[in-house]
Amino acid sequence: MKIINFAKVAIAATCLACTAIAHAQGVPANAIEAINVAQQGGEVAVKIDLKEPLQSPPAGFSIANPAKIAFDFPATANALGKNSQTVNEGDLRSLNVVQVGERTRLVLNLVRNMNYTTRLDGKSLYVTLAPIVRNADSLAQRVTRFTEETAIGVRHSLQDVNFRRGKDGEARIVVELSDTGTGIDIRQQGSSLIVDFAKTTVPEHLRRKLDVTDFGTPVNAIETRSKGENAQMTISPKGLWEHNAYQSDNQFIIEVKKIVEDPNKLVQGTKIGYQGPRVSINYQNGDVRALLRLMAEELGLNAVISETVSGTTTLVLKDVPADQVVDIIFQQKALDMRKNGNVILIAPRDEIATKEKLEYESRQQIGDLEPLRTEAFQINYQKAEALQKLLTDSNQRMLSKRGSAVTDPRTNTLFIHDTSTRLEEVRAVISRVDVPVRQVLIEARIVEAADAFSRNLGVRLGFLDRERKQQSNVATIGADYQNTGQAAGVVQGTPTMPLAQLVNLPASPRSGIAGALSFILFNSGDGEFLNLELTALEADGRGKVISSPRVMTADQIEALIEQGVEIPYQQATSSGATSVSFRKANLSLKVKPQITPDGKITLSLDINKDTPNPTLQTGSGVAIDTKHVKTEVLVDNGGTVVIGGIFTQNSKNQTNKIPLLGDIPYLGWLFKNNEIIDDKTELLIFITPKIVSEKLGMR
């Protein structure tokens, strides 16, 4: 029903949005000019006057719940000047006329499902609405004409049959049709729902029976087969249920929803208010018992009416639900009912209250006098002490006043001493509670990726004047300026003269040793040394660290796994003395899973990744780098989700230079030091939970 209501709103919105488009494309060739409605006995006649005569009746379809009949007029405009019209003639409540582009849809809003026929007469289209003929002996055998066959003489086919579970636990059967002109009938036969597709073939691969019990919906099985020239689908629900059917283009959808039985309602269902079939009554001084029997037959219920119900009543009602008529009689005559399945007991309100009071008192007396017996229950998956606490809880005690429960921890056995009735109830509780707990394997992957780049360029420049006349002007190249002469074979031994450095801006890399290139210009006549050293280092590094902790735990049981070290540090006490304490620096995964009814997993996660940082020393000890995430997520079984990520980037471009000299083009590099740093780190945390079967273990 929610989907149908949404569709109606969407159509109305689309109409308003497409009005401008329709004008832009031109006026359609035909138009609906007037609609008249008249009631003829139990039938309702609808006359639609058009601007031009139709070549064939328009395509029509019906919706079972809520009851609607719709017709599509191609190349037709809405010339009524309004989109809705209130009728209230018979079972026809109102009309909706919606134009979308060059197409106009006429929707008949009904009180209940009705059959319809169409007839063309000149420029008019006549639609006759007739009540669905029902078998008075079997209300459940009625047939609902969902869609009339529009393509006469054409063979249709089923393209596909799919089953889905709705968000509220309802079953959704989606049938792909070859075209929109397929005639469809829906009826309830016994406890099954039968859908017939007129003149429709079923491919061989679709002729099968689908067992859908494991989906947890009201439907157990779906069987599709050929029956003569038609296709037939049998839907086998369980318990109390109701269905809703609608069609969207080539898709025919049936929803089967579970009904929670309300003993105070005559007609079970999820709708609010009265839901029984509409009846019109003119009852003058008639017998109350006869009227109640008539309403029970209309509702398809078996009624047991007490002999104390008597009297006459007068009712004049029109188009009132049958269950509302029963409530009106109950209010007039101070009656009440008790419902069990499709059987109702009708009696005066005081009589029912007195009877129930006597039954309760009798049960209590029987419970006080019933003999006690002892029964041993072997507990397999739970602890007997936990079940004992559950059964003897003071707020909601399950045992009688004379009952007791003791346990044997060694054999994990629970001994119950109580009445036979209470023992049966305890047995039912233990069968629901003492079940194996499903287990979940949680795997976390912590990925740390690093991309580091650094570049350092520096220079040292010195000058020395020393009288030395061994050689003329010589220029040499070596590893550094301190041993350049020795490496070149010009100066014997390592020079010991002090080097006067005019510029001292060497490269200072974060790690490693910078390469060096040095020059010495030596004048033997004047004893002068000119020393130049260039140092440079470029480093580019990439790294990835992956941690993958895994832990298995039971459903709704918290688990913890950790690995790491404990770092000692000194801590001052209140007396002034110091003591040694420890702090953990480890990788830990704390998780609490919960398996949802639809097979998904809710995870409460607490993940830590702490590592010592020896480069950062404090007075109390080594600092700790912390990475921590705490969250709660919903994940599919076996699916992977990213629960967190941290991206950091450190960019640095620093230059140290001598003022003015460092700004000289090209030559200025001899008077400055340059450092470039571009570091990137990224942390990603992945979580993959898996529900463990009995044959699956952790590898």
Side-chain angles (χ1 to χ4, degrees), residues 3 160-176 210-219 222 235 246 248 251-257 598:
I3 298 177
D160 198 6
V161 178
N162 294 314
F163 181 87
R164 301 170 186 171
R165 187 181 189 274
K167 63 178 182 178
D168 296 326
E170 71 274 13
R172 301 184 75 242
I173 299 97
V174 182
V175 182
E176 297 285 347
L210 301 177
D211 188 355
V212 295
T213 307
D214 295 339
F215 284 86
T217 67
V219 177
I222 303 168
I235 303 172
Y246 60 94
S248 177
Q251 279 192 345
F252 172 68
I253 301 170
I254 302 176
E255 293 184 349
V256 181
K257 184 181 296 183
D598 56 352

Side-chain angles (χ1 to χ4, degrees), residues 114-127:
M114 302 185 71
N115 292 327
Y116 69 92
T117 57
T118 58
R119 179 175 61 89
L120 294 175
D121 186 4
K123 297 182 180 181
S124 300
L125 171 67
Y126 291 88
V127 180

Side-chain angles (χ1 to χ4, degrees), residues 466-492:
R466 181 181 180 182
E467 293 187 2
R468 193 179 179 109
K469 299 181 179 180
Q470 294 182 359
Q471 296 185 15
S472 58
N473 300 337
V474 177
T476 61
I477 300 176
D480 57 57
Y481 68 85
Q482 291 186 352
N483 59 1
T484 298
Q486 183 180 6
V490 178
V491 180
Q492 300 297 323

Side-chain angles (χ1 to χ4, degrees), residues 386-541:
L387 287 178
Q388 180 193 21
K389 184 178 180 181
L390 175 65
L391 297 174
T392 59
D393 186 84
S394 58
N395 296 326
Q396 192 174 357
R397 185 179 175 93
M398 297 184 183
L399 303 179
S400 66
K401 296 183 294 183
R402 300 183 295 159
S404 61
V406 295
T407 62
D408 181 17
R410 185 180 64 86
T411 59
N412 202 36
T413 304
L414 180 64
F415 298 92
I416 305 295
H417 186 66
D418 211 330
T419 64
S420 299
T421 304
R422 293 301 178 101
L423 288 175
E424 290 295 331
E425 297 177 357
V426 170
R427 186 177 295 106
V429 171
I430 293 177
S431 64
R432 293 290 302 272
V433 176
D434 189 28
V435 294
V437 181
R438 304 174 72 180
Q439 299 185 95
V440 182
L441 175 64
I442 301 99
E443 180 180 1
R445 292 187 297 277
I446 304 173
V447 181
E448 297 178 86
D451 187 358
F453 173 81
S454 64
R455 178 184 295 167
N456 289 269
L457 180 64
V459 63
R460 288 197 293 184
L461 179 64
F463 177 77
L464 178 65
D465 186 6
R466 181 181 180 182
E467 293 187 2
R468 193 179 179 109
K469 299 181 179 180
Q470 294 182 359
Q471 296 185 15
S472 58
N473 300 337
V474 177
T476 61
I477 300 176
D480 57 57
Y481 68 85
Q482 291 186 352
N483 59 1
T484 298
Q486 183 180 6
V490 178
V491 180
Q492 300 297 323
T494 303
T496 58
M497 74 288 285
L499 300 177
Q501 298 182 9
L502 300 178
V503 181
N504 187 19
L505 297 172
S508 55
R510 294 181 296 172
S511 63
I513 301 175
L517 178 67
S518 64
F519 298 86
I520 291 181
L521 299 179
F522 171 60
N523 190 316
S524 61
D526 298 330
E528 298 174 348
F529 291 84
L530 180 62
N531 309 296
L532 175 63
E533 181 187 56
L534 301 176
T535 56
L537 176 67
E538 181 174 317
D540 191 3

Side-chain angles (χ1 to χ4, degrees), residues 37-40 42-46 89-92 114 127-130:
V37 181
Q39 186 175 2
Q40 303 173 356
E43 299 180 346
V44 178
V46 182
E89 290 285 342
D91 290 330
L92 180 58
M114 302 185 71
V127 180
T128 303
L129 305 177

